[in-house]
Amino acid sequence: GAVVSQHPSWVICKSGTSVKIECRSLDFQATTMFWYRQFPKQSLMLMATSNEGSKATYEQGVEKDKFLINHASLTLSTLTVTSAHPEDSSFYICSARKRGVGVSRPQHFGDGTRLSIL
Amino acid sequence: AQSVTQLGSHVSVSEGALVLLRCNYSSSVPPYLFWYVQYPNQGLQLLLKYTTGATLVKGINGFEAEFKKSETSFHLTKPSAHMSDAAEYFCAVSGDTGRRALTFGSGTRLQVQP
């Protein structure tokens, strides 16, 4: 159990294009999903916390208008990179926490999306 | 505030040898600690976690970690390395009740030599 599906796994597109990445919890409900960004050979950096039915909470330095997050249901969160540029190229990973109480509940990660902007 | 320090960005061991990956944390509240493994171009898979109770935690694939509060450490070990253990390992902490996200260490790449 606790499977998180992320789609697409790889995207190559031209500069100026907007790209949408989906994160789905397949067998559980997730009131909270997280979006991370990972540069080559580096750790994961939290971009934003996505809460079902409310606005996402962005980390300092992350542009809200650049990285649009929507968490419309208990099983789906989307990240849209608007007007993407080469510096947005990165590996984006989502995670989801099962509905419930307690910060000790582990996060379950998707397989990530490699975004390459030409 | 919380942070994680992983000593050694690269660790190389021989197949069958002991694996030791080091993790030290800083947290203003009692921490919840996690170890994740990442294979190339994939997401993260939970190896084990410490919340409360027994300080020696056993995880998947033969890994275990010991929470030592006095040393603020949560080192990951495995008695005998397999080739399939080669991957990136991340230690993470969560404990700030106002922040449910994880804070990750910089990662340690484990190489297993035949």
Side-chain angles (χ1 to χ4, degrees):
Chain A
V3 177
V4 175
S5 173
Q6 195 171 333
H7 177 81
S9 57
W10 199 299
V11 179
I12 302 175
C13 58
K14 294 181 179 180
S15 183
T17 306
S18 291
V19 179
K20 179 184 285 188
I21 303 170
E22 293 187 348
C23 180
R24 293 180 185 273
S25 56
L26 298 184
D27 53 359
F28 65 97
Q29 293 184 330
T31 50
T32 304
M33 291 185 174
F34 303 92
W35 287 97
Y36 295 85
R37 184 173 181 176
Q38 186 179 29
F39 290 102
K41 300 184 179 181
Q42 294 188 29
S43 188
L44 283 74
M45 299 299 295
L46 179 67
M47 297 176 65
T49 302
S50 171
N51 297 295
E52 187 267 337
S54 64
K55 291 183 178 181
T57 303
Y58 290 81
E59 295 299 299
Q60 191 173 7
V62 178
E63 299 177 58
K64 301 178 183 180
D65 296 332
K66 176 79 172 171
F67 300 99
L68 301 179
I69 292 173
N70 183 281
H71 194 156
S73 76
L74 287 172
T75 60
L76 174 64
S77 176
T78 61
L79 167 67
T80 302
V81 183
T82 61
S83 186
H85 292 285
E87 58 266 28
D88 298 323
S89 298
S90 191
F91 193 55
Y92 294 87
I93 306 177
C94 74
S95 71
R97 174 178 276 133
K98 287 184 178 179
R99 190 179 192 180
V101 179
V103 296
S104 66
R105 289 173 288 122
Q107 294 180 26
H108 303 281
F109 286 82
D111 280 342
T113 297
R114 183 160 301 285
L115 176 61
S116 297
I117 308 298
L118 305 177
Chain B
Q2 44 197 358
S3 65
V4 176
T5 302
Q6 288 183 242
L7 297 175
S9 59
H10 287 82
V11 171
S12 182
V13 301
S14 299
E15 191 173 20
L18 171 71
V19 175
L20 171 61
L21 304 183
R22 300 179 185 275
C23 172
N24 288 88
Y25 69 90
S26 172
S27 178
S28 56
V29 298
Y32 299 111
L33 296 159
F34 306 82
W35 274 100
Y36 285 88
V37 60
Q38 184 182 33
Y39 297 98
N41 293 313
Q42 293 187 25
L44 276 69
Q45 180 182 7
L46 179 67
L47 281 177
L48 49 80
K49 67 173 182 175
Y50 168 79
T51 54
T52 58
T55 57
L56 182 62
V57 181
K58 294 186 183 299
I60 62 172
N61 301 340
F63 285 94
E64 61 182 36
E66 186 172 10
F67 170 63
K68 292 186 177 181
K69 184 179 179 180
S70 61
E71 299 178 7
T72 61
S73 68
F74 191 58
H75 302 330
L76 181 70
T77 61
K78 182 174 181 178
S80 177
H82 294 168
M83 296 296 291
S84 60
D85 294 327
E88 188 87 19
Y89 292 80
F90 292 96
C91 181
V93 62
S94 172
D96 184 340
T97 55
R99 175 187 173 87
R100 300 186 212 172
L102 294 171
T103 299
F104 285 90
S106 55
T108 298
R109 180 166 297 278
L110 176 65
Q111 290 181 315
V112 181
Q113 307 292 342

